[in-house]
Amino acid sequence: LKDYSSEDREESKPLQPGTTAPDFLLPVYKGDSLRLSDLRGKVVFMDFWYKSCHPCRLAAPKIEEMYEEYGADGRVVFLGVNPYDKADDLHLQSFIDSRSIRYPILLHADSVAKEYSVSGYPTFFILDRDGVIRWTGVGYGDGYEKVFREELDALLER
C-alpha cells in the first residue's frame, strides 16, 4: 500500500484561485467548437462532469437553475465540460433532456481535465472576466448552490 503524504494530496487538487485558466478549444455537443479565451470579458462557470457520476447527476438540475438565472441573459457563461461521454452515446442525450440542460456541453475534454488537475467529479471552476480562476470546488452537496451564487454575485458586482 502506498502512503499518500500531504504533498501527494496537494498535487491532486484542481487548479486553485488566482491561476489563469488554461485556454482550450473543444467541440460543443450538437454544435460548433468553443475556445475559452473567446469568453474573456464574461464571468464563466465551468462544471467538469460525466453522466454516470452520482454527485454530477444531483448537481445538474441546480446548475441548470443557475443558468436560467445568470446565464440565459448572458451575464455568466455556463459550460459543462465532459471528459468521458461521447457524442454518439444515446444515454448522453437522455441525460441532457431529462435535466433540461440548455447550456453548452463540451466533449473530448480528457486532456483539459488533466490540465485543470481534475481528479474528482464534479469539479467546478468560476472564472472572472479576465479568465482568472476565482473559486474552485470538488464534489457536490448541501450548501454548494449558495456558495456558487455568492461567488457569481461578487464577480458580477465588480
Side-chain angles (χ1 to χ4, degrees):
L1 291 174
K2 180 174 176 9
D3 178 28
Y4 289 96
S5 69
S6 61
E7 292 92 34
D8 292 334
R9 285 193 298 278
E10 288 296 315
E11 288 174 16
S12 68
K13 284 186 176 180
L15 293 181
Q16 295 296 295
T19 306
T20 299
D23 196 19
F24 57 75
L25 174 67
L26 290 173
V28 176
Y29 179 63
K30 296 196 174 179
D32 293 325
S33 292
L34 185 140
R35 183 178 304 279
L36 183 62
S37 59
D38 290 345
L39 301 177
R40 291 281 164 87
K42 297 201 177 267
V43 173
V44 177
F45 182 99
M46 292 194 304
D47 171 13
F48 282 77
W49 69 280
Y50 60 97
K51 73 178 182 322
S52 59
C53 158
H54 182 69
C56 301
R57 297 170 77 89
L58 295 175
K62 297 299 182 183
I63 304 302
E64 178 59 29
E65 285 176 21
M66 288 191 321
Y67 167 76
E68 293 291 329
E69 182 178 340
Y70 293 94
D73 64 2
R75 293 185 301 149
V76 177
V77 175
F78 283 76
L79 302 174
V81 185
N82 190 315
Y84 296 116
D85 299 316
K86 305 296 180 220
D88 61 356
D89 181 344
L90 296 178
H91 298 292
L92 178 59
Q93 185 62 56
S94 174
F95 179 90
I96 291 168
D97 291 345
S98 70
R99 285 154 181 84
S100 303
I101 297 172
R102 296 187 312 130
Y103 53 87
I105 303 299
L106 308 177
L107 299 177
H108 307 295
D110 49 332
S111 63
V112 174
K114 287 178 185 148
E115 195 167 8
Y116 279 73
S117 299
V118 173
S119 60
Y121 291 87
T123 295
F124 304 98
F125 295 92
I126 298 177
L127 314 181
D128 68 14
R129 290 178 177 94
D130 295 321
V132 175
I133 297 168
R134 293 297 169 199
W135 187 85
T136 301
V138 180
Y140 183 75
D142 291 340
Y144 261 61
E145 186 181 356
K146 181 178 186 266
V147 172
F148 295 156
R149 290 174 185 281
E150 289 171 355
E151 293 295 327
L152 292 173
D153 289 343
L155 287 172
L156 290 171
E157 288 175 10
R158 287 185 184 172

